[in-house]
Amino acid sequence: FALVRPMEWVNKDKQSRLGVVARMDNFKIDNSATASVRYVMLGAYWDVSQRTNLAFDLQQSSPLNGSTSITTRTLLVHYKADF
């Protein structure tokens, strides 16, 4: 997966409060099987302060190569506060 703060490419002197997260995996239950599931996640996060963070992401799981799992798509909202 990758965590990127693209605004820091423009101004390297200041830490950006906006970030992007991305991940892609292919999962097999058994190494000898051809069926697998692809998991993809793409989202953005905003550092509200040094201790709080708000994030939105879209997660998708889809069958590959004859897998019997179903395709799922989920939109998530996360709010994190450290104490």
Side-chain angles (χ1 to χ4, degrees):
F1 71 93
L3 296 170
V4 180
R5 293 180 184 264
M7 296 307 292
E8 288 186 13
W9 296 339
V10 176
N11 184 359
K12 296 180 188 228
D13 297 331
K14 183 178 178 187
Q15 182 176 359
S16 173
R17 296 170 67 182
L18 176 65
V20 177
V21 60
R23 176 179 179 169
M24 185 172 82
D25 291 315
N26 285 332
F27 175 74
K28 284 185 178 183
I29 265 203
D30 182 0
N31 287 336
S32 64
T34 59
S36 62
V37 175
R38 176 170 289 156
Y39 172 76
V40 178
M41 191 262 291
L42 180 63
Y45 59 91
W46 176 258
D47 293 335
V48 179
S49 71
Q50 288 184 347
R51 294 181 169 239
T52 59
N53 176 298
L54 178 65
F56 299 91
D57 61 72
L58 177 63
Q59 299 181 12
Q60 177 176 321
S61 165
S62 47
L64 297 173
N65 303 323
S67 174
T68 58
S69 67
I70 60 171
T71 299
T72 60
R73 289 185 187 99
T74 308
L75 178 63
L76 295 167
V77 177
H78 309 266
Y79 183 76
K80 180 186 73 125
D82 294 329
F83 296 99

